[in-house]
Amino acid sequence: MEMDNNLLTAMVERWRKETHTFHLLEGEMTITLKDVAMLTELPIDGDAIIESSQKPLNGWGQFISERLGINIPEEAEEGRRVPPLHKSMLLIPWLVRTVGELPEDATDAQIERYARIYLICLVGGFLFPNKSCGNMHCMWLRVLLGDWDEIGRKSWGSACLAMIYSELCKCTDPKTKQAGGPMFILQLWVWEHLPTFAPICPANSWGPDEPLRQWAYGARWIGAITSGTSLDGYRQHLDRLESTR
């Protein structure tokens, strides 16, 4: 799905951190936990994700080595200024390149390691990305390299919504240039609730046997191409937006 930065910027301009709502011509509206659950099917029940950002006693490098069997170099790669692990931030692309492809005769231990690295990529690079070009804070590793059942019992949808709210509030500061977090969920929400801004939905051309029909509701927008509307164009649309009720 192509991200529409102009649309997101126009929505951010109408966000009020005092109420956690978008202020539009017809009133206020906001993305809710139910929206996140329906669009992504991420769990919204279970334990809150609360982890300490403090380093383990022996450091994050030792922590990763013990759980993934990967030794992190202390020197930076060619073309980079800092090593893959720097100030509690782990470079995800380096981790993926280091592991390589899963062999056909992989052992259970190798498969488990790949599964955990997949979760690291999913969480650090997709659900909770920051603005540091592929780096993830190592505090997430306390969850993702822990007990499998505990991972499944976490309320990931709630964490996504909390980060969306947090990033939107940060963006109310005119000095903020970028937003982190799962902004793709916010874009899906806008397309669903303000359809005048939505592109042609790829799901309209799906056949009855399309596998994506079995995915989360938001999957119907996979492959959507944005309209190319300018930021000023979205601003004008929002200024004229009226309820269809």
Side-chain angles (χ1 to χ4, degrees), residues 79-224:
R80 295 190 64 89
R81 293 180 295 177
V82 297
L85 179 61
H86 180 66
K87 293 184 177 179
S88 298
M89 301 297 290
L90 177 65
L91 185 62
I92 297 177
W94 173 87
L95 184 64
V96 174
R97 291 195 303 270
T98 300
V99 174
E101 297 183 1
L102 185 68
E104 294 184 3
D105 58 346
T107 64
D108 289 345
Q110 287 176 304
I111 293 173
E112 178 176 341
R113 182 173 71 166
Y114 269 72
R116 291 190 185 278
I117 291 175
Y118 171 80
L119 289 179
I120 290 172
C121 295
L122 179 66
V123 169
F126 186 62
L127 291 180
F128 304 99
N130 54 30
K131 296 172 280 187
S132 58
C133 302
N135 286 310
M136 180 187 75
H137 198 288
C138 289
M139 67 178 181
W140 291 106
L141 299 180
R142 296 186 189 276
V143 179
L144 301 176
L145 300 184
D147 182 76
W148 280 109
D149 293 333
E150 285 293 326
I151 296 174
R153 284 195 288 265
K154 298 293 185 181
S155 181
W156 293 99
S158 302
C160 282
L161 182 62
M163 191 165 189
I164 290 173
Y165 279 11
S166 175
E167 290 298 313
L168 286 172
C169 290
K170 292 176 183 177
C171 286
T172 59
D173 183 347
K175 296 180 181 179
T176 302
K177 303 298 182 183
Q178 291 178 301
M183 287 296 137
F184 76 95
I185 301 177
L186 178 62
Q187 182 166 304
L188 292 175
W189 175 82
V190 174
W191 285 353
E192 293 289 348
H193 290 271
L194 301 175
T196 185
F197 299 134
I200 297 174
C201 183
N204 294 339
S205 60
W206 288 355
D209 299 326
E210 171 58 56
L212 289 177
R213 291 187 181 278
Q214 308 302 317
W215 290 21
Y217 187 75
R220 72 197 198 100
W221 293 104
I222 289 177

Side-chain angles (χ1 to χ4, degrees), residues 11-25:
M11 294 300 297
V12 165
E13 291 176 345
R14 285 156 175 79
W15 179 260
R16 295 296 177 268
K17 61 182 180 181
E18 297 83 5
T19 57
H20 285 175
T21 55
F22 295 101
H23 285 223
L24 305 177
L25 183 63

